[in-house]
Amino acid sequence: MLECAVESPPTHGEAKNFTENFSDFSLAKGRIMFTIVNMDGENVGGVNLNSIDERNGTISIGIQIDRDHRGKGYGTRAVRILLKYAFFERRLNKFNDSVLEGNEPSAAMMRKLECIQEGVRRQVIYTDGKYQDLILFGLTKDEFVEK
């Protein structure tokens, strides 16, 4: 449910281009990607800062936890670490996220992080044969510090 659509596997060229584009972790690319590793050294997923807007101090975070490792808190802990980095090291001010309606695990994670539900973008995603809503969440640096 990360991209809200069924996508064909990338071609060799598309996969290579993606890897080359983001392999240097350059801020100029507008995305910083990380691998999530558990205490046993096992890769359990990935997380990234994206949509970085230095001028307005806003960011989004993308996350994917491998199916066998979901529900164990890896995602929530990884996002909390990235929020600390974004707010205290990068001096950004606002985290924005959206969750596809029905994606209760992601919505629950936003609530665990104490994000505020800010609104709903109605029927903006077409998937699984119907239009669905995006639930908008946000968290400011001050709210993060307070909690």
Side-chain angles (χ1 to χ4, degrees):
M1 298 185 85
L2 181 64
E3 293 295 330
C4 306
V6 176
E7 295 184 14
S8 299
T11 65
H12 177 74
E14 290 168 337
K16 183 178 178 188
N17 184 40
F18 179 85
T19 302
E20 289 171 355
N21 192 31
F22 292 111
S23 64
D24 66 356
F25 298 97
S26 171
L27 295 179
K29 307 285 185 189
R31 180 184 305 240
I32 307 172
M33 300 175 72
F34 302 92
T35 298
I36 303 170
V37 178
N38 67 14
M39 296 301 284
D40 296 325
E42 186 178 11
N43 180 349
V44 299
V47 64
N48 68 74
L49 281 178
N50 62 68
S51 304
I52 301 167
D53 181 342
E54 298 284 349
R55 179 181 173 152
N56 293 304
T58 60
I59 49 115
S60 291
I61 293 176
I63 188 163
Q64 187 276 322
I65 302 297
D66 297 340
R67 189 171 307 278
D68 295 342
H69 300 285
R70 292 179 187 164
K72 298 178 182 176
Y74 295 121
T76 303
R77 285 191 293 266
V79 171
R80 194 169 279 126
I81 290 167
L82 272 188
L83 288 173
K84 286 180 183 178
Y85 169 72
F87 291 148
F88 300 116
E89 299 298 323
R90 299 292 305 277
R91 295 183 205 98
L92 298 169
N93 184 61
K94 176 80 186 307
F95 164 59
N96 295 306
D97 194 29
S98 60
V99 174
L100 185 67
E101 72 175 295
N103 185 349
E104 189 49 40
S106 289
M109 182 176 72
M110 290 297 108
R111 288 188 211 88
K112 282 182 205 169
L113 293 164
E114 300 192 53
C115 293
I116 307 297
Q117 182 175 326
E118 297 181 334
V120 176
R121 292 189 63 210
R122 299 177 308 121
Q123 297 186 7
V124 295
I125 300 296
Y126 185 79
T127 187
D128 201 22
K130 61 183 176 181
Y131 289 95
Q132 295 188 313
D133 298 344
L134 280 178
I135 314 303
L136 306 176
F137 289 94
L139 185 69
T140 66
K141 177 182 178 180
D142 289 343
E143 290 165 342
F144 183 77
V145 169
E146 182 180 305
K147 296 168 188 198

